[in-house]
């Protein structure tokens, strides 16, 4: 029988540490299985990677285990959007190609058939998204991809989970872990199953585990800009983008394109013509918030500990490349917000799942695909942890 130790008087079956999307996905999966669930979060609300991203479920761009997780997560996001009342739509993605090498990679990807992809000419791209880049040659339509509003979805999901019986302990820090017991700044919490989903801060609790896996923090520079168009200085004005938009730099990043024979030629072209973009590890892409503003980015820099300073030259590069893709002067992109995102990164792996103690699992997504895969990953973790 479970003890009643410090936090709450009701016994629980599953404790989840972390109220970001990885943690909430495990809590939602616990609810689905009929478990009594508690969530422990050190902040007053989620403020990390789960709210700083594009809200883009890039199902089509995954491979291997991540592809399976992403397909499962796609259906779960759409279901939870209906249940929790947040916007989640199968908007698909348009990949904009501005070189022959990019077109070749997309043709090879479509021919492989792992995920559906419709090749488009330049007019076909423009029919789906209002891009006016003079260098636009064509692209592809990826219908499996989805979008959520990252600033709304995670909070709405937490509120819905609370409404169906999940207990949240906000502003509560974890200080230790023993078999069946979580030590926190507000007392102990006992449960037969504990999931620790602390993301890039894994080393706060398990430094040796993080060091063995090579976990570092990947810092992103991202911006929110007004969508170009008539009177676009007010939110809601400007042109509308239903799908997310990826570019040739995205083809270098996502594992689903890694097997395309033309990918080395594409990388060589970027190395030859745009080494400045590769130097900041740019993945040029954007999505649109419900109010019409665009989330644009992003760049990547890995370190265990980052300096707090954000380089304006990097933001300028993101703005210039976005403006070129949109076919507008960079001065027309009115910046509303700038921020740094962070997520866990580890060489040679996309996920870190470990069992530091009996009945406990550490779960960290070690690439920037947490929003895309977490719900599918959570189902597999809990199937193992709680058969």
């Amino acid at each position: 029988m479970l003890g009643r130790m410090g936090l709450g008087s009701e016994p629980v079956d599953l404790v989840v540490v972390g109220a970001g999307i990885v943690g909430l996905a495990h809590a939602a999966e616990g609810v689905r299985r009929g478990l009594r669930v508690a969530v422990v979060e050190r902040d007053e609300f989620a403020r990390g990677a789960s709210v700083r991203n594009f809200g883009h479920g890039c199902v089509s761009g995954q491979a291997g285990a991540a592809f399976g997780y992403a397909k499962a997560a796609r259906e779960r996001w759409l279901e939870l959007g209906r249940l929790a009342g947040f916007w989640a739509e199968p908007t698909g993605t348009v990949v904009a190609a501005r070189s022959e090498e990019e077109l070749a990679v997309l043709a090879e990807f479509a021919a492989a058939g792992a995920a559906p992809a419709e090749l488009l000419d330049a007019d076909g791209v423009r029919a789906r998204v209002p891009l006016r880049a003079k260098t636009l040659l064509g692209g592809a339509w990826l219908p499996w991809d989805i979008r959520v509003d990252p600033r709304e979805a995670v909070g709405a999901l937490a509120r819905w989970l609370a409404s169906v019986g999940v207990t949240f302990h906000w502003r509560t820090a974890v200080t230790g872990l023993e078999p069946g017991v979580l030590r926190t700044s507000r007392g102990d919490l006992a449960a037969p199953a504990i999931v620790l989903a602390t993301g890039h801060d894994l080393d706060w609790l398990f430094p040796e585990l993080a060091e063995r896996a090579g976990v570092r923090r990947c810092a992103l520079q991202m911006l929110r800009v007004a969508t170009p168009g008539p009177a676009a200085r007010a939110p809601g004005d400007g042109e509308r983008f239903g799908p997310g938009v990826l570019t040739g730099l995205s083809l270098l990043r996502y594992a689903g394109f890694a097997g395309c024979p033309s990918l080395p030629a594409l990388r060589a072209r970027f190395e030859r013509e745009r080494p400045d973009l590769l130097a900041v590890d740019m993945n040029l892409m954007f999505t649109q918030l419900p109010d019409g503003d665009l989330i644009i980015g992003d760049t990547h820099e890995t370190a265990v500990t980052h300096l707090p300073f954000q380089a304006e030259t990097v933001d300028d590069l993101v703005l210039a490349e976005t403006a070129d893709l949109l076919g507008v002067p960079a001065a027309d992109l009115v910046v509303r917000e700038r921020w740094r995102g962070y997520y866990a990164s580890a060489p040679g792996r996309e996920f870190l799942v470990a069992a530091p103690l009996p009945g406990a699992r550490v779960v960290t997504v070690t690439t920037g695909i947490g929003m895309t895969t977490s719900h599918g990953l959570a189902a597999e973790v809990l199937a193992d942890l709680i058969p």
Side-chain angles (χ1 to χ4, degrees), residues 24-33 76-77 79-86 152-168 170 375:
L24 294 186
H26 284 81
E29 183 64 22
V31 168
R32 190 171 190 166
R33 293 165 177 263
R76 195 73 174 114
W77 268 122
E79 177 190 16
L80 288 168
R82 293 189 295 269
L83 291 172
F86 60 82
E152 173 208 18
V154 174
L157 179 54
R159 290 190 295 273
W160 177 76
L161 288 169
S163 76
V164 297
V166 174
T167 301
F168 281 82
W170 300 100
H375 292 294

Side-chain angles (χ1 to χ4, degrees), residues 7-372:
L7 284 184
S9 59
E10 296 298 324
V12 294
D13 305 306
L14 170 67
V15 172
V16 178
V17 179
I21 190 52
V22 177
L24 294 186
H26 284 81
E29 183 64 22
V31 168
R32 190 171 190 166
R33 293 165 177 263
L35 304 178
R36 297 165 296 184
V37 182
V39 176
V40 176
E41 166 58 48
R42 72 183 182 207
D43 286 314
E44 190 177 13
F45 51 85
R47 56 179 294 275
S50 301
V51 299
R52 304 187 194 196
N53 64 84
F54 292 97
H56 179 233
C58 187
V59 180
S60 307
Q62 307 311 316
F67 188 43
Y69 297 153
K71 288 191 290 184
R74 178 186 191 274
E75 303 309 313
R76 195 73 174 114
W77 268 122
L78 297 176
E79 177 190 16
L80 288 168
R82 293 189 295 269
L83 291 172
F86 60 82
W87 182 79
E89 293 293 336
T91 59
T93 295
V94 169
V95 186
R98 295 179 287 171
S99 73
E100 294 294 341
E101 290 85 351
E102 292 167 11
L103 287 176
V105 171
L106 290 173
E108 292 158 1
F109 176 79
E118 176 188 347
L119 297 178
L120 305 171
D121 60 16
D123 288 338
V125 171
R126 295 187 185 102
R128 293 187 180 272
V129 288
L131 300 180
R132 297 185 176 85
K134 294 179 180 179
T135 53
L136 183 66
L137 299 180
W141 165 244
L142 310 180
W144 274 6
D145 292 1
I146 65 168
R147 283 180 50 215
V148 300
D149 178 357
R151 300 177 178 215
E152 173 208 18
V154 174
L157 179 54
R159 290 190 295 273
W160 177 76
L161 288 169
S163 76
V164 297
V166 174
T167 301
F168 281 82
H169 301 286
W170 300 100
R171 299 175 65 190
T172 302
V174 173
T175 59
L177 177 68
E178 298 176 9
V181 179
L182 187 73
R183 308 288 186 191
T184 86
S185 56
R186 297 183 187 271
D188 296 343
L189 187 58
I194 300 171
V195 170
L196 297 108
T198 58
H200 56 270
D201 289 334
L202 169 65
D203 54 358
W204 289 16
L205 282 173
F206 296 101
E208 294 86 2
L209 174 59
E211 288 171 2
R212 285 197 304 270
V215 175
R216 295 159 68 85
R217 291 168 178 84
C218 184
L220 325 172
Q221 290 192 203
M222 302 179 66
L223 305 98
R224 174 181 179 170
V225 300
T227 302
R233 308 251 165 190
D237 295 329
E239 296 178 296
R240 304 302 300 185
F241 293 80
V245 176
L246 301 180
T247 66
L249 287 162
S250 308
L251 304 180
L252 300 179
R253 185 155 204 92
Y254 291 111
F257 303 102
C260 295
S262 296
L263 198 67
L266 175 58
R267 182 174 294 279
R269 179 164 183 160
F270 275 110
E271 290 172 346
R272 183 174 64 252
E273 298 181 1
R274 296 305 307 271
D276 55 335
L277 303 182
L278 298 183
V280 296
D281 197 3
M282 186 182 294
N283 173 20
L284 181 63
M285 63 175 290
F286 63 80
T287 57
Q288 191 169 45
L289 291 168
D291 68 3
D293 286 354
L294 299 179
I295 299 177
I296 68 172
D298 57 359
T299 60
H300 303 80
E301 177 188 359
T302 58
V304 174
T305 303
H306 287 270
L307 293 171
F309 315 113
Q310 183 162 315
E312 192 70 10
T313 53
V314 174
D315 281 359
D316 288 344
L317 194 56
V318 172
L319 288 165
E321 290 304 302
T322 303
D324 183 71
L325 182 63
L326 293 170
V328 301
D332 284 2
L333 294 181
V334 179
V335 178
R336 301 199 196 278
E337 296 172 342
R338 305 170 189 262
W339 67 94
R340 271 198 161 194
Y342 293 94
Y343 63 72
S345 176
R349 68 168 76 226
E350 294 180 310
F351 307 97
L352 173 59
V353 179
L357 293 171
R361 295 292 184 274
V362 167
V363 184
T364 304
V365 180
T366 50
T367 50
I369 56 174
M371 295 290 278
T372 299

Side-chain angles (χ1 to χ4, degrees), residues 370-384:
M371 295 290 278
T372 299
T373 61
S374 290
H375 292 294
L377 172 64
E380 182 171 291
V381 169
L382 290 192
D384 173 63

